[in-house]
Amino acid sequence: MKTKKFLSLLLAGALALSVAACGQQQAVTNQETSSDVSTTSEASSDLSSSAETGERPTEPSGQLVIGSVTQVINEFYDTGFSTSETNYNMYDLIHGTMDSVVYTKEGEFQYNDTVVASHEETENEDGTKTYTVTINDGLVWSDGTPLTAKDYVFAVLLENSDEMAGVDGYPCNGGYSYVGYDEWLAGTADTFAGVHLVDDMTYSLTVKAEELPYHYDIMYASLRPRPLHVIAPECDVEDTENGATITGEFTTELLQETINNPETGYRYNPKVTCGPYLFESFDEASQQATLKVNPEFAGDYRGVKPMIETLIIKTVVSDTMMNELESGSVDLLYSCSGGETINAGLDLVEEGTAADSTYMRNGYGQLQFDCSVFPTNSEKVRQAIAYCLDRNEFARQYTGGYGSVVHSFYGLAQWEYAESVDWINENLNTYDMNVDAAITLLEEDGWTLNADGTPYSGTGTRYKDVDGELKPLTITWCNSEGNPVSELLATMLPENMAAAGMELQPTTTDFATLQNAILHSADTQYNMYNLATGFATANSPWYYFSSDEAWMGNYNKNWIADQELNDAVVPMKSIPYDDHDGWLEAWQNFIKVWNEKLPNIPLYSDEYYDFYSPRVQGWENTATWGWQNAVLDAWVTE
């Protein structure tokens, strides 16, 4: 039997790289997988020949079937509609890689050499800053239509417009930092003042003075193009001295047809794109998507083009996915976690039927609270629930030794964690299981009554007088089906919560329904959800925990508006990227306040494994170089 590692907290810290890298947007995932990215972690492989056997082909061929325990859903636009981890990565494969700024395999932000011919940054006398970007000639959409600066400008105008906000509540906050955003979104201005179409191949973006300095300032220059001729075919983008605008009959009704039509809309059936892969189809019954290589793709920032012709991304069940890998019905299982799953995969590696690679998690598993819903809008109720769970035992059982408990908003792959292990041990509340502590908190919070208004008898559900109405201490919990984390929580939480006077009401559903509830796009919201979060490369907690209404839901998925947490996290935004010590000090203060406010109960961060068929060659996935990037370097043999 191949040696199976037990990772202690200190070992995990030693394995995490000290290369700083953060990310754009938090992606929410199901428990067994991670998502986007945040810091770099070394990956190792026990099949050294996986990157050395045979030669990389010069033309795309073959098929790769990728299994995902996060449900593949019918969403193919961007995170404004869904942050499901698997679909998040498919957005990049379909629409990405023509972004003007990219995050490299080496863990750096840079202008995309394939896209950008030149760039200029100008600090203006009024404190604003203008980024001017000229794109290369010769880039085309998948239908052969030239890709020009108009498509980049159209994207920012479209996705920050009142017209787009009318399409299923699209958040329209990506251009928040540009001059003129508020007026353009509100429809009180005919132009977007800080956005200009300089010429056919050049655009400029002017950032508000109050949004500077910014930790990831290069990201202000970044745009992802959208095909003007597909989404607004009778419209055009024009520039004026007061900013760029969209001319023609640009309306929500138009976008409801071109983007939101369930059969042909760009959200569900994006046929003209510029990423390395083209959307081919989605099968609702099998919950799988098929992508085909884009022959018009110019290459990523390195010029690398994919050499696998067809990708099939399918939903798998954790109980049977290793059987599927062994039988060949899937070729790759990425970001596998949990001791039982990892050990089953390592058995296949020992038998020679699979290869593996491993890396630390750039994220963590959690019980996520909705802090706008009674009674989890109370900090003390959230803390009491934490005291009812033996998180050490949970982590031991779930990770099987391939991970450890974390106590705040961090993962084992982050350099900040690696440099703060001792500080964390000395400064954060570990919420060791203590039902008596939970009871004390609940009493302090006013949960001291029975259903009939008499003093609490010590058994049953506690009640609280809220503005003259007796309300029960009932916690609604939404979890996803077939999820081993849900199953383990269901055995560990209810008894202790009941002993403290809380009633736990679980609801099991599919992941898409769970996500809609989190985003408040469903009729029902719950007090808490169990899932996992992967940190983005431009990890921006000042949006995730800001009290600003602009970020609620799309970024701030806890719907938490806490002034102390806001004041701890927002100042991080202006710390220069190269101010290592200043950033670390602010980060430590933030995670300490977060640990007190507890918008989530952090459960674990762990080691990830990719398991794949030996026919998969050149596979290099890491904490920050996700499978959507790794697939560009890989190929398959028959």
Side-chain angles (χ1 to χ4, degrees):
M1 176 71 65
K2 180 180 174 180
T3 300
K4 297 168 182 175
K5 295 179 284 183
F6 184 87
L7 296 179
S8 68
L9 189 65
L10 291 178
L11 176 57
L15 289 176
L17 279 188
S18 59
V19 177
C22 305
Q24 247 169 334
Q25 179 170 340
Q26 193 174 30
V28 179
T29 85
N30 208 344
Q31 279 293 13
E32 288 268 334
T33 60
S34 169
S35 74
D36 31 330
V37 276
S38 166
T39 22
T40 316
S41 177
E42 291 180 335
S44 61
S45 173
D46 290 308
L47 188 74
S48 59
S49 60
S50 66
E52 299 171 1
T53 301
E55 294 184 4
R56 190 172 190 270
T58 56
E59 295 293 332
S61 64
Q63 172 180 285
L64 180 68
V65 181
I66 302 171
S68 170
V69 295
T70 301
Q71 180 186 353
V72 182
I73 61 177
N74 190 24
E75 291 281 2
F76 301 99
Y77 190 85
D78 72 5
T79 55
F81 291 122
S82 171
T83 56
S84 173
E85 180 270 343
T86 303
N87 289 74
Y88 182 99
N89 289 338
M90 283 192 284
Y91 303 149
D92 280 352
L93 286 171
I94 297 168
H95 305 292
T97 321
M98 288 295 103
D99 296 1
S100 44
V101 175
V102 295
Y103 188 74
T104 71
K105 191 174 184 179
E106 293 73 32
E108 299 291 340
F109 292 101
Q110 70 170 49
Y111 285 95
N112 185 345
D113 291 338
T114 298
V115 171
V116 177
S118 64
H119 58 87
E120 182 180 357
E121 296 78 34
T122 303
E123 295 184 1
N124 305 311
E125 291 184 0
D126 61 358
T128 62
K129 187 173 183 178
T130 299
Y131 295 81
T132 303
V133 177
T134 299
I135 67 171
N136 285 313
D137 290 324
L139 302 174
V140 297
W141 292 98
S142 58
D143 64 354
T145 301
L147 195 160
T148 72
K150 275 191 179 183
D151 297 303
Y152 287 86
V153 172
F154 172 65
V156 72
L157 295 176
L158 165 71
E159 292 168 1
N160 294 280
S161 67
D162 181 58
E163 290 82 0
M164 187 65 173
V167 181
D168 278 3
Y170 188 84
C172 292
N173 53 21
Y176 178 89
S177 300
Y178 301 130
V179 171
Y181 163 83
D182 302 281
E183 296 80 7
W184 175 253
L185 176 61
T188 58
D190 295 330
T191 62
F192 198 143
V195 180
H196 281 277
L197 178 66
V198 178
D199 58 43
D200 286 348
M201 305 306 289
T202 305
Y203 66 80
S204 72
L205 303 166
T206 299
V207 179
K208 301 172 184 175
E210 60 267 29
E211 295 296 317
L212 296 164
Y214 180 50
H215 189 65
Y216 306 108
D217 58 354
I218 190 175
M219 295 303 297
Y220 281 146
S222 184
L223 292 180
R224 173 172 293 185
R226 297 293 188 187
L228 170 65
H229 67 291
V230 172
I231 295 176
E234 302 300 322
C235 299
D236 200 1
V237 171
E238 294 183 0
D239 196 65
T240 75
E241 62 180 3
N242 296 317
T245 191
I246 300 174
T247 61
E249 294 298 316
F250 179 69
T251 64
T252 294
E253 289 70 27
L254 169 69
L255 302 180
Q256 289 285 14
E257 180 59 31
T258 61
I259 292 178
N260 221 35
N261 183 299
E263 300 299 326
T264 60
Y266 203 73
R267 175 179 176 182
Y268 307 107
N269 195 10
K271 290 299 187 181
V272 178
T273 54
C274 59
Y277 282 89
L278 304 175
F279 175 80
E280 177 77 9
S281 63
F282 174 74
D283 187 273
E284 185 72 51
S286 61
Q287 295 179 344
Q288 71 177 33
T290 300
L291 309 182
K292 294 282 190 179
V293 73
N294 179 6
E296 301 291 347
F297 179 58
D300 69 359
Y301 73 95
R302 305 165 297 170
V304 173
K305 300 181 181 182
M307 288 298 135
I308 301 175
E309 185 173 18
T310 303
L311 301 181
I312 297 176
I313 300 94
K314 61 180 287 188
T315 305
V316 295
V317 178
S318 59
D319 289 344
T320 59
M321 64 184 186
M322 289 302 167
N323 294 334
E324 291 203 55
L325 179 61
E326 184 175 25
S327 68
S329 60
V330 299
D331 301 306
L332 170 70
L333 299 170
Y334 66 93
S335 300
C336 296
S337 66
E340 184 176 344
T341 296
I342 291 172
N343 288 335
L346 292 177
D347 287 342
L348 295 182
V349 174
E350 183 184 13
E351 295 167 6
T353 58
D356 74 299
S357 60
T358 180
Y359 44 96
M360 302 310 296
R361 184 179 204 152
N362 184 30
Y364 70 116
Q366 65 192 17
L367 269 171
Q368 177 172 311
F369 291 117
D370 189 323
C371 301
S372 70
V373 176
F374 182 86
T376 46
N377 59 345
S378 167
E379 174 184 322
K380 289 186 176 181
V381 169
R382 301 193 298 266
Q383 292 171 340
I385 296 171
Y387 276 120
C388 289
L389 179 63
D390 187 341
R391 295 187 305 126
N392 288 297
E393 179 61 17
F394 177 92
R396 186 192 68 79
Q397 289 193 38
Y398 176 69
T399 70
Y402 296 94
S404 62
V405 175
V406 293
H407 305 299
S408 190
F409 187 73
Y410 61 87
L412 298 182
Q414 292 181 280
W415 70 266
E416 296 95 333
Y417 161 75
E419 295 192 16
S420 302
V421 172
D422 291 339
W423 181 91
I424 286 170
N425 291 337
E426 294 169 0
N427 288 276
L428 299 189
N429 186 348
T430 60
Y431 292 97
D432 294 334
M433 191 180 74
N434 188 333
V435 176
D436 289 338
I439 291 172
T440 298
L441 285 166
L442 295 175
E443 289 175 344
E444 291 173 355
D445 204 42
W447 299 95
T448 58
L449 302 174
N450 291 316
D452 59 3
T454 59
Y456 183 63
S457 59
T459 59
T461 302
R462 293 175 178 271
Y463 281 72
K464 179 179 182 177
D465 186 326
V466 181
D467 298 326
E469 180 184 355
L470 284 177
K471 291 191 175 183
L473 185 46
T474 301
I475 306 298
T476 56
W477 167 36
C478 185
N479 57 81
S480 54
E481 54 197 4
N483 189 330
V485 169
S486 304
E487 295 165 5
L488 185 54
L489 286 169
T491 67
M492 298 183 69
L493 264 179
E495 183 177 350
N496 288 338
M497 289 181 67
M502 292 183 274
E503 179 187 358
L504 181 62
Q505 292 184 350
T507 298
T508 300
T509 185
D510 61 86
F511 188 68
T513 301
L514 177 147
Q515 187 176 58
N516 286 335
I518 290 174
L519 298 176
H520 289 192
S521 58
D523 293 335
T524 303
Q525 285 83 54
Y526 299 85
N527 292 118
M528 68 183 192
Y529 309 81
N530 64 278
L531 59 163
T533 292
F535 300 137
T537 44
N539 187 21
S540 306
W542 44 85
Y543 298 137
Y544 310 149
F545 303 107
S546 168
S547 297
D548 192 327
E549 187 65 29
W551 311 120
M552 293 293 172
N554 184 246
Y555 281 77
N556 185 340
K557 294 182 177 64
N558 297 99
W559 299 83
I560 187 169
D562 184 282
Q563 193 60 48
E564 289 182 66
L565 183 58
N566 179 88
D567 292 347
V569 70
V570 170
M572 297 173 66
K573 180 180 177 182
S574 61
I575 297 174
Y577 192 72
D578 58 359
D579 184 359
H580 176 280
D581 293 343
W583 173 265
L584 185 61
E585 181 179 358
W587 180 86
Q588 290 175 346
N589 179 61
F590 155 60
I591 68 163
K592 188 175 189 300
V593 174
W594 191 102
N595 171 262
E596 296 164 358
K597 301 299 178 179
L598 217 63
N600 302 323
I601 298 176
L603 298 175
Y604 62 90
S605 186
D606 50 357
E607 184 180 17
Y608 271 157
Y609 275 79
D610 291 352
F611 295 106
Y612 44 95
S613 165
R615 60 187 288 271
V616 179
Q617 305 291 300
W619 188 255
E620 295 181 63
N621 190 7
T622 72
T624 58
W625 190 252
W627 67 261
Q628 79 277 23
N629 298 308
V631 76
L632 299 187
D633 291 311
W635 68 97
V636 292
T637 58
E638 299 301 330

